[in-house]
Amino acid sequence: MKLTKKTRAAYLVGLLLLLFNMSFSMDNGYNLWLNYSKIDDASLLETYRNQLQTVFVTDGGATMDVIKRELDRGLGGLLQQEVRFEPNPTFQNQLIVSRYAELGEDLRTLVDPADLTSEGYFIRTIENKKHRMVLITAQTDIGLLYGTFHFLRILQMHQALDGLQVMESPKVDIRMLNHWDNLDRTVERGYAGFSIWNWHTLPDYIDQRYIDYARANASIGINGTALTNVNANGLVLTPHYLEKVKALADVFRPYGLKVYLTARFSAPIEIGGLKTADPLDADVIQWWKDKTKEIYDLIPDFGGFLVKANSEGQPGPQNYGRTHLDGANLLADALKPHEGVVIWRAFVYSEHDDTDRAKQAYSEFVPDDGKYRDNVLIQVKNGPIDFQPREPFHPMFGAMPKTPLMMEFQITKEYLGFATHLVYLPKLFEEVLRSDTYQKGKGSTVAKVVDGSLNHKKVTGMAGVANIGTDANWTGHPFGQADWYGFGRLAWDPYLDSGTIAEEWLRCTFTNNENFVGPVKKMMLESREAVVNYMNPLGLHHMFDTGHHYGPGPWVDNLSRPEWNPVYYHKADDEGIGFDRTKTGSDALSQYAPELGEKFGNLETCPEEYLLWFHHLPWDYQLKNGRTLWDGLGIKYQQGVDQVGDMIKTWEDMKPFVDEYRHNQVSMLLGIQLKEAKWWRDACMLYFQTYSKMDFPKEMEKPENTLEHYKSLQFPFAPGIRPTWN
Ligand code: GCW
């Protein structure tokens, strides 16, 4: 067939449209929230184009180059025009990115540097006789980079530039990701593919992902990354691997991202050839000093060591009759000359200690408050057990006023449905940060402990266990990106509101259309309570199946250590259910301030969400709404299932606003979430019924299978842990 010119043109247009549509409907999420697609509001686009006709960026090193590249990409995409960089400031309809010290006198008077920390920045729109411009200024290049990302976010969110006055400084010093990545590229509790660190091709091959990873982190203010699993392998400290670590550190440096490594306490034996790793042994002390110097010779801004010791079989100072204090101070002394820090984890519980696991960390660490070197931070998980859907805050917060306590959140969803469930974690993080410890009277929130404002501030930090892997969209579930994003934003400012964060993320990642943002934000904010309801309602916890933690296993009672068994935590029996942590039980409550001891200890005042965390109660105990505890449990489980049903409906309505690819991904995942929510409800209620011997409440749907069926399920290849099978 011979094509006429006209038909050829029509074909071409058709093909272009098809390509455009395909790219629109095939967004695989790789760009995360750094989605710089064209501003779709024509008049706003016109205004921005007028206000930002040219760009001037101060000369400088690698970070300034990064800023230029990001502006080129960001403004180029959002405004859909070539970005004109000027060699000199014109001050007219210009974006200016300049260090404070290089500003002219007249501009300097407009911003007060006293308000800026070294990573802080100002963004101001200035309109006067001489100027008509947007100014981003900071004391340091990294401050300018953070300001640049903030500025791009303003455009992504379609906010007006007129009268802009932003002043931001991070409230927390160390804002880091902890990767539980093994050197063989498996990721402990990772559900988004393999480790993004390709140790085999490093140091010579720099994957574009490393750069985009650094960009994404810088865009939300994350300034540290521990590359390797806390269940550490000493090999990473050998020259062969350190060369690879150096390559990553070199990539990350312009983005303000420091590298940390996990230090295996027995490394002096395993890779150093010593006979002991005793922290008081002179050779061991010297070995760590030399090793640390070797690292700093390669990576002058190395952050320091993250250590898990004497916990879950990891080696530590207690193997030599020494203490956590001895171990932490050993490494602190080695790092001190290089200005590095030790981040020593408080996630410890001992197989020789039969006291309530919730109490053990406090007992081991609190007595040594004030004795740690000043470059030691103790990293404490948000709750006293282990990243459950809901826990009260860890009693160590506020109880060690002389020691910096760093927050550890888990961004990966080990206990919240892996990367298959939509659960918006910043809601959980916010709940913890806003909890009142009462340690210095009312208002002594966890956030104030973490940002150092409650006590003498030395160095402060917040860590999040990463949910990142090789999946195209980094996090497996498209909404898992919001957890990474939200973690970064809360590490920067622990007082931010989770709703505001959700809205930012939605606008930057998907669209500014209010018909999308409103309902999806609501869905995200409710998703956390949903998972609590369908997994662990009313204060129940740790009822996950053995090892992989996938799905319910409330019946599990045969693991070698008592506190690895779910029955240890729910203590269901013919009388009732729940863990008595009051004076009549383990008395874990006494580790909290007296105000909370009273509040949680008294059934009248204990919030229902912590009921079975602190109390063992009869099945027919009457809840506030007049129903029995048994009915209340069933109703909560059902509510969780119904909430997921509502999420599915909301998401269906969002079809017009989301590209087909991601819409479909989320729909399928929500389908799995619903199936698993029902699984949790049915398995737990059927199991508890063997004790309560009561009928299910009328509100609850009938279980879909028998208890025997649920007990028989096995998942030897569940992700997140190396497979085990019989
Ligand atoms: O929750 C447990 C996890 C382990 C993890 C440990 C820890 C890295 O099941 O996989 O090990 O916590 O935080 O050290």
PDB file of all heavy atoms in Angstrom, residues 164-175:
ATOM      1  N   LEU A 164       7.235  34.297  49.042  1.00  0.00           N
ATOM      2  CA  LEU A 164       7.816  33.078  49.619  1.00  0.00           C
ATOM      3  C   LEU A 164       8.845  33.407  50.708  1.00  0.00           C
ATOM      4  O   LEU A 164       9.722  34.242  50.505  1.00  0.00           O
ATOM      5  CB  LEU A 164       8.512  32.335  48.477  1.00  0.00           C
ATOM      6  CG  LEU A 164       8.685  30.845  48.603  1.00  0.00           C
ATOM      7  CD1 LEU A 164       7.343  30.169  48.755  1.00  0.00           C
ATOM      8  CD2 LEU A 164       9.387  30.323  47.353  1.00  0.00           C
ATOM      9  N   GLN A 165       8.708  32.768  51.854  1.00  0.00           N
ATOM     10  CA  GLN A 165       9.650  32.987  52.967  1.00  0.00           C
ATOM     11  C   GLN A 165       9.833  31.660  53.673  1.00  0.00           C
ATOM     12  O   GLN A 165       9.051  31.310  54.545  1.00  0.00           O
ATOM     13  CB  GLN A 165       9.032  33.951  53.979  1.00  0.00           C
ATOM     14  CG  GLN A 165       9.048  35.381  53.577  1.00  0.00           C
ATOM     15  CD  GLN A 165       9.809  36.197  54.624  1.00  0.00           C
ATOM     16  OE1 GLN A 165      10.781  35.717  55.200  1.00  0.00           O
ATOM     17  NE2 GLN A 165       9.385  37.433  54.843  1.00  0.00           N
ATOM     18  N   VAL A 166      10.852  30.934  53.330  1.00  0.00           N
ATOM     19  CA  VAL A 166      11.071  29.629  53.960  1.00  0.00           C
ATOM     20  C   VAL A 166      12.381  29.695  54.720  1.00  0.00           C
ATOM     21  O   VAL A 166      13.382  30.202  54.202  1.00  0.00           O
ATOM     22  CB  VAL A 166      11.169  28.514  52.889  1.00  0.00           C
ATOM     23  CG1 VAL A 166      11.472  27.171  53.528  1.00  0.00           C
ATOM     24  CG2 VAL A 166       9.899  28.443  52.059  1.00  0.00           C
ATOM     25  N   MET A 167      12.383  29.215  55.940  1.00  0.00           N
ATOM     26  CA  MET A 167      13.632  29.106  56.697  1.00  0.00           C
ATOM     27  C   MET A 167      13.615  27.726  57.317  1.00  0.00           C
ATOM     28  O   MET A 167      12.732  27.415  58.096  1.00  0.00           O
ATOM     29  CB  MET A 167      13.657  30.179  57.790  1.00  0.00           C
ATOM     30  CG  MET A 167      15.042  30.600  58.205  1.00  0.00           C
ATOM     31  SD  MET A 167      15.851  29.406  59.265  1.00  0.00           S
ATOM     32  CE  MET A 167      14.939  29.617  60.766  1.00  0.00           C
ATOM     33  N   GLU A 168      14.551  26.903  56.946  1.00  0.00           N
ATOM     34  CA  GLU A 168      14.548  25.520  57.431  1.00  0.00           C
ATOM     35  C   GLU A 168      15.921  25.128  57.933  1.00  0.00           C
ATOM     36  O   GLU A 168      16.931  25.426  57.281  1.00  0.00           O
ATOM     37  CB  GLU A 168      14.185  24.572  56.280  1.00  0.00           C
ATOM     38  CG  GLU A 168      12.716  24.490  55.940  1.00  0.00           C
ATOM     39  CD  GLU A 168      11.929  23.590  56.863  1.00  0.00           C
ATOM     40  OE1 GLU A 168      12.521  22.679  57.482  1.00  0.00           O
ATOM     41  OE2 GLU A 168      10.710  23.800  56.985  1.00  0.00           O
ATOM     42  N   SER A 169      15.948  24.450  59.059  1.00  0.00           N
ATOM     43  CA  SER A 169      17.174  23.816  59.537  1.00  0.00           C
ATOM     44  C   SER A 169      16.772  22.475  60.127  1.00  0.00           C
ATOM     45  O   SER A 169      15.751  22.395  60.805  1.00  0.00           O
ATOM     46  CB  SER A 169      17.828  24.651  60.638  1.00  0.00           C
ATOM     47  OG  SER A 169      18.677  25.606  60.073  1.00  0.00           O
ATOM     48  N   PRO A 170      17.560  21.432  59.882  1.00  0.00           N
ATOM     49  CA  PRO A 170      17.149  20.140  60.437  1.00  0.00           C
ATOM     50  C   PRO A 170      17.192  20.154  61.958  1.00  0.00           C
ATOM     51  O   PRO A 170      18.091  20.749  62.553  1.00  0.00           O
ATOM     52  CB  PRO A 170      18.200  19.174  59.877  1.00  0.00           C
ATOM     53  CG  PRO A 170      19.371  20.017  59.524  1.00  0.00           C
ATOM     54  CD  PRO A 170      18.835  21.360  59.153  1.00  0.00           C
ATOM     55  N   LYS A 171      16.262  19.462  62.570  1.00  0.00           N
ATOM     56  CA  LYS A 171      16.216  19.437  64.038  1.00  0.00           C
ATOM     57  C   LYS A 171      17.025  18.268  64.603  1.00  0.00           C
ATOM     58  O   LYS A 171      17.246  18.185  65.803  1.00  0.00           O
ATOM     59  CB  LYS A 171      14.765  19.343  64.500  1.00  0.00           C
ATOM     60  CG  LYS A 171      13.956  20.596  64.144  1.00  0.00           C
ATOM     61  CD  LYS A 171      12.623  20.636  64.889  1.00  0.00           C
ATOM     62  CE  LYS A 171      11.952  21.978  64.767  1.00  0.00           C
ATOM     63  NZ  LYS A 171      11.572  22.328  63.390  1.00  0.00           N
ATOM     64  N   VAL A 172      17.415  17.365  63.727  1.00  0.00           N
ATOM     65  CA  VAL A 172      18.158  16.172  64.166  1.00  0.00           C
ATOM     66  C   VAL A 172      19.459  16.113  63.356  1.00  0.00           C
ATOM     67  O   VAL A 172      19.454  16.384  62.157  1.00  0.00           O
ATOM     68  CB  VAL A 172      17.297  14.908  63.911  1.00  0.00           C
ATOM     69  CG1 VAL A 172      18.071  13.640  64.207  1.00  0.00           C
ATOM     70  CG2 VAL A 172      16.014  14.957  64.748  1.00  0.00           C
ATOM     71  N   ASP A 173      20.555  15.763  64.012  1.00  0.00           N
ATOM     72  CA  ASP A 173      21.856  15.799  63.317  1.00  0.00           C
ATOM     73  C   ASP A 173      22.043  14.646  62.325  1.00  0.00           C
ATOM     74  O   ASP A 173      22.361  14.864  61.166  1.00  0.00           O
ATOM     75  CB  ASP A 173      23.006  15.741  64.335  1.00  0.00           C
ATOM     76  CG  ASP A 173      22.920  16.887  65.339  1.00  0.00           C
ATOM     77  OD1 ASP A 173      22.537  17.996  64.928  1.00  0.00           O
ATOM     78  OD2 ASP A 173      23.214  16.661  66.532  1.00  0.00           O
ATOM     79  N   ILE A 174      21.908  13.421  62.843  1.00  0.00           N
ATOM     80  CA  ILE A 174      22.174  12.250  61.986  1.00  0.00           C
ATOM     81  C   ILE A 174      20.833  11.690  61.530  1.00  0.00           C
ATOM     82  O   ILE A 174      20.024  11.244  62.342  1.00  0.00           O
ATOM     83  CB  ILE A 174      22.962  11.179  62.761  1.00  0.00           C
ATOM     84  CG1 ILE A 174      24.297  11.758  63.235  1.00  0.00           C
ATOM     85  CG2 ILE A 174      23.178   9.938  61.898  1.00  0.00           C
ATOM     86  CD1 ILE A 174      25.078  10.820  64.137  1.00  0.00           C
ATOM     87  N   ARG A 175      20.591  11.731  60.228  1.00  0.00           N
ATOM     88  CA  ARG A 175      19.304  11.287  59.680  1.00  0.00           C
ATOM     89  C   ARG A 175      19.627  10.182  58.680  1.00  0.00           C
ATOM     90  O   ARG A 175      20.003  10.447  57.551  1.00  0.00           O
ATOM     91  CB  ARG A 175      18.611  12.475  59.005  1.00  0.00           C
ATOM     92  CG  ARG A 175      18.555  13.700  59.939  1.00  0.00           C
ATOM     93  CD  ARG A 175      17.977  14.929  59.271  1.00  0.00           C
ATOM     94  NE  ARG A 175      18.759  15.453  58.185  1.00  0.00           N
ATOM     95  CZ  ARG A 175      19.835  16.252  58.298  1.00  0.00           C
ATOM     96  NH1 ARG A 175      20.263  16.626  59.501  1.00  0.00           N
ATOM     97  NH2 ARG A 175      20.483  16.684  57.236  1.00  0.00           N
TER      98      ARG A 175
END
